[in-house]
């Protein structure tokens, strides 16, 4: 077996960093809204981010090293949206629903029925599904011109120039330009950040049929359909044949362990996984798994 140190490169490390940055910044606000809707305190919200970050990190790191292929996991963004609009459900009841959802994900994965379903979906349709997910981000970028024209146009120009002259470094270039413009406009407030260790907070689960129907089942359905399905499509579109059943089952197991601390649902990543699976991460597809390894370490 080849050494991971020989496979690792600066480009895969940068790809992993960008994937983590996109993973946190694209939907962390939705996770905070979900925790607030369930009545979580500030300490419990910190625990949610601790559990989700640790869960994504351990699963991404472990699965990528085990299969020597890029496997990146993420929290369920549509699942957080479901939680954010839930009403009349307490945090202990929601925690019980998280555990039930995790058990359902494990059942779907380890039983093999989700993989059998995916085998019947043509690659072209799976690729179109991934394109549909990515299209929303592109359209949101266009819409953001009205609110932050200098920032968006500067980042767009840097991306176009980067793709032309330094394709492997185009995304980090966009990040640097964006941070530079934001700093010049006074939009970065790093001095207000308090650097302290996160502390996990245990929430004892309680069980109610209302929470099962309004939280557990919707959370399971949207996680499988809106997250794991595009996640598998991203892998296939990039030419990777990663075993679906054990990987999905592992995300359910991690969710089960971390549910009492706020790890409501983990799943395969699609958007961020594409960053680690693309040729910009590395020209050699067999070495791109080190990008998701780097992402896993950074998530932790």
């Amino acid at each position: 077996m080849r050494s991971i140190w020989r496979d690792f490169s600066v480009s895969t490390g940068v790809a992993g960093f960008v994937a983590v940055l996109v993973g946190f910044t694209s939907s962390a606000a939705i996770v905070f809204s979900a925790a607030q809707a369930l009545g979580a305190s500030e300490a419990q919200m910190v625990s949610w981010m601790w559990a989700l970050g640790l869960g994504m990190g351990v699963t991404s790191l472990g699965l990528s090293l085990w299969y020597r292929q890029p496997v990146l996991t993420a929290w369920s963004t549509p699942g957080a949206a479901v939680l954010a609009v839930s009403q009349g459900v307490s945090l202990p009841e929601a925690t019980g629903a998280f555990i039930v959802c995790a058990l359902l994900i494990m059942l779907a994965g380890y039983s093999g029925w989700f993989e059998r379903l995916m085998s019947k979906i043509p690659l072209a349709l799976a690729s179109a599904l991934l394109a549909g997910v990515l299209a929303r981000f592109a359209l949101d970028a266009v819409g953001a011109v009205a609110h932050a024209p200098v920032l968006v146009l500067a980042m767009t120009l840097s991306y176009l120039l980067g793709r032309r002259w330094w394709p492997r470094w185009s995304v980090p270039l966009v990040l640097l330009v964006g941070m530079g413009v934001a700093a010049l406009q006074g939009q970065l407030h790093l001095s207000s950040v308090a650097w302290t260790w996160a502390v996990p907070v245990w929430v004892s689960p309680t069980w109610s049929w209302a929470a099962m129907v309004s939280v557990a089942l919707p959370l399971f359905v949207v996680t499988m359909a809106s997250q794991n399905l595009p996640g598998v499509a991203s892998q296939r579109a990039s030419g990777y044949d990663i075993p679906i059943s054990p990987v999905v089952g592992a995300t359910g197991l991690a969710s089960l362990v971390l549910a009492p601390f706020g790890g409501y649902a983990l799943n395969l990543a699609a958007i961020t996984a594409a960053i680690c699976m693309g040729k910009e991460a590395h020209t050699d597809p067999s070495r791109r798994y080190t990008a998701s390894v780097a992402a896993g370490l950074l998530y932790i």
Side-chain angles (χ1 to χ4, degrees), residues 156-209:
T156 302
L157 180 61
S158 65
Y159 175 76
L160 294 175
L161 294 176
R163 290 291 296 177
R164 175 64 181 86
W165 300 107
W166 313 283
R168 187 173 296 179
W169 307 101
S170 57
V171 173
L173 177 63
V174 172
L175 170 65
L176 292 175
V177 170
M179 291 182 65
V181 173
L184 291 174
Q185 293 181 332
Q187 296 177 340
L188 289 182
H189 307 287
L190 299 180
S191 60
S192 62
V193 177
W195 298 98
T196 57
W197 289 102
V199 178
V201 178
W202 173 278
V203 176
S204 298
T206 59
W207 317 95
S208 71
W209 286 111

Side-chain angles (χ1 to χ4, degrees), residues 76 78-80 82-83 97-98 101 215-224 264-265:
S76 176
V82 168
L83 298 176
F98 299 165
C101 175
V215 177
L217 290 180
L219 181 59
F220 168 70
V221 171
V222 299
T223 298
M224 298 302 293
Y264 63 92

Side-chain angles (χ1 to χ4, degrees), residues 2-300:
R2 296 184 315 185
S3 168
I4 183 175
W5 303 113
R6 211 161 48 236
D7 290 342
F8 186 82
S9 68
V10 175
S11 61
T12 57
V14 171
F17 169 74
V18 173
V20 171
L21 186 71
V22 172
F24 271 119
T25 58
S26 62
S27 57
I30 302 176
V31 177
F32 292 144
S33 298
Q36 290 174 338
L38 296 172
S41 65
E42 183 174 332
Q44 288 168 333
M45 291 172 62
V46 172
S47 181
W48 276 46
M49 300 307 294
W50 173 88
L52 293 169
L54 189 64
M56 292 185 296
V58 170
T59 51
S60 298
L61 176 63
L63 293 170
S64 296
L65 288 175
W66 181 262
Y67 293 111
R68 282 298 197 268
Q69 297 186 69
V71 181
L72 199 66
T73 60
W75 61 52
S76 176
T77 299
V82 168
L83 298 176
V85 298
S86 61
Q87 296 180 351
V89 179
S90 67
L91 185 57
E93 287 177 321
T95 302
F98 299 165
I99 292 175
V100 172
C101 175
L103 291 171
L104 291 174
I105 294 174
M106 290 176 63
L107 178 63
Y110 290 130
S111 67
W113 74 258
F114 181 69
E115 185 168 5
R116 288 193 293 271
L117 174 65
M118 285 300 303
S119 66
K120 299 182 183 300
I121 298 178
L123 177 60
L125 183 59
S127 300
L129 176 64
L130 177 62
V133 175
L134 293 169
R136 180 177 64 85
F137 285 83
L139 294 175
D140 288 346
V142 174
V145 174
H147 307 290
V150 177
L151 178 64
V152 175
L153 292 177
M155 295 175 70
T156 302
L157 180 61
S158 65
Y159 175 76
L160 294 175
L161 294 176
R163 290 291 296 177
R164 175 64 181 86
W165 300 107
W166 313 283
R168 187 173 296 179
W169 307 101
S170 57
V171 173
L173 177 63
V174 172
L175 170 65
L176 292 175
V177 170
M179 291 182 65
V181 173
L184 291 174
Q185 293 181 332
Q187 296 177 340
L188 289 182
H189 307 287
L190 299 180
S191 60
S192 62
V193 177
W195 298 98
T196 57
W197 289 102
V199 178
V201 178
W202 173 278
V203 176
S204 298
T206 59
W207 317 95
S208 71
W209 286 111
M212 297 304 108
V213 173
S214 63
V215 177
L217 290 180
L219 181 59
F220 168 70
V221 171
V222 299
T223 298
M224 298 302 293
S226 300
Q227 291 285 129
N228 279 327
L229 203 60
V232 175
S234 179
Q235 293 176 351
R236 290 183 172 179
S238 299
Y240 292 100
D241 187 23
I242 300 168
I244 299 172
S245 295
V247 169
V248 171
T251 62
L253 178 60
S255 301
L256 178 65
V257 173
L258 295 168
F261 303 101
Y264 63 92
L266 299 171
N267 45 248
L268 290 172
I271 307 295
T272 50
I275 297 173
C276 294
M277 293 180 181
K279 61 182 180 180
E280 289 79 9
H282 203 283
T283 54
D284 183 356
S286 67
R287 296 175 62 179
R288 294 173 192 166
Y289 76 94
T290 56
S292 53
V293 167
L297 291 172
L298 290 169
Y299 270 132
I300 294 173

